[in-house]
Amino acid sequence: MKNLADTPAEAKVYQTDYSFTADGSNEYGEPGRLPRSNARWVSLSRELVTVPPKGTELLDYEVKVPAGTSLSGSYWSLIMVEPIAPDSGESAAELPEGTARIKQTLRYGIQVVTHLGSPGPAGLEFTNPQVIKDDDQRLFAIDVKNTGQRLLRPTLSLDLYSASGNPIGKFQGIATRLFPGTSARFKIDLGKTPAGQYLGLVVADGTGDNLFGANVELEIE
């Protein structure tokens, strides 16, 4: 951790689980509750860190996988680093008598991912294909869920065809990280594609030796 200020900075360090879904929600739950959480394997060297002015401070942690298990696939959790304001009740610094303030606090999440044994089966589930508008853009959106046992970072593409089957073009999306059991909404810019009825083939690449796809029908207005 690095402190850019001219005064000492404090931060508390703690663990949470981490999950997210295609509707945009994120959950930072109690550590060790998710089926594939590795939070209980992670030991922090300390829970309160003081960083000197213009200085840096190292935080050590250890990941110890339980012995004698047949675990496989990907497991993960978060280490949270949350700055403590000097006038916070959690700060070691003394607070002036009669002082009361409210401040917004940012926290930083560090993903700790463990891959064990064989990758296990991979799988993606596609739902809710649609065309949406974002400002002046028309976007193809589809929800993708990781139904396998390992972390995937798929890149989606859309091969678009006219209703009669003539190829229109290939549209490329960006890669998104998906932990097992999580989902995300992938969006692909359709550019200046004319309005009309279309057939499409969605393909997810970047999934190791596997390719996943889905046929969709679209109406662009």
Side-chain angles (χ1 to χ4, degrees):
M1 287 176 279
K2 187 173 183 179
N3 178 14
L4 301 178
D6 296 322
T7 57
E10 293 180 300
K12 61 180 180 180
V13 184
Y14 56 95
Q15 295 172 265
T16 71
D17 279 350
Y18 175 48
S19 183
F20 51 88
T21 56
D23 63 6
S25 62
N26 295 273
E27 293 187 10
Y28 306 94
E30 183 179 339
R33 287 291 183 89
L34 290 179
R36 287 192 166 267
S37 171
N38 65 359
R40 300 192 187 279
W41 310 346
V42 180
S43 300
L44 303 175
S45 60
R46 45 188 164 160
E47 297 180 350
L48 181 65
V49 179
T50 301
V51 187
K54 303 294 185 182
T56 59
E57 191 74 15
L58 295 179
L59 174 68
D60 297 323
Y61 67 90
E62 180 183 20
V63 180
K64 185 177 294 186
V65 179
T69 61
S70 57
L71 300 173
S72 65
S74 300
Y75 300 79
W76 73 97
S77 61
L78 285 184
I79 296 177
M80 287 289 192
V81 178
E82 185 174 321
I84 300 175
D87 54 3
S88 168
E90 297 176 290
S91 174
E94 294 186 4
L95 186 68
E97 185 176 353
T99 300
R101 297 179 182 175
I102 298 176
K103 286 190 174 182
Q104 183 178 8
T105 300
L106 297 176
R107 60 180 182 174
Y108 305 88
I110 303 161
Q111 295 182 12
V112 180
V113 185
T114 310
H115 304 290
L116 300 177
S118 63
L124 292 177
E125 179 183 278
F126 301 87
T127 59
N128 198 27
Q130 57 185 303
V131 176
I132 62 176
K133 290 185 178 181
D134 186 0
D135 293 330
D136 294 331
Q137 287 184 305
R138 292 173 303 170
L139 306 174
F140 168 69
I142 190 168
D143 297 343
V144 184
K145 181 178 181 179
N146 185 347
T147 59
Q149 297 182 5
R150 58 172 168 162
L151 170 66
L152 298 176
R153 197 170 184 268
T155 300
L156 260 61
S157 62
L158 174 66
D159 290 304
L160 206 59
Y161 300 86
S162 68
S164 59
N166 296 319
I168 301 298
K170 186 182 185 72
F171 302 86
Q172 195 73 35
I174 61 174
T176 299
R177 176 176 290 195
L178 287 177
F179 293 106
T182 65
S183 62
R185 181 159 297 167
F186 287 69
K187 298 177 182 178
I188 299 176
D189 187 1
L190 295 173
K192 297 182 179 180
T193 305
Q197 301 282 342
Y198 295 92
L199 305 175
L201 173 63
V202 181
V203 177
D205 202 354
T207 55
D209 297 330
N210 303 284
L211 281 178
F212 298 93
N215 293 311
V216 296
E217 297 182 5
L218 305 177
E219 180 179 2
I220 301 177
E221 298 180 352

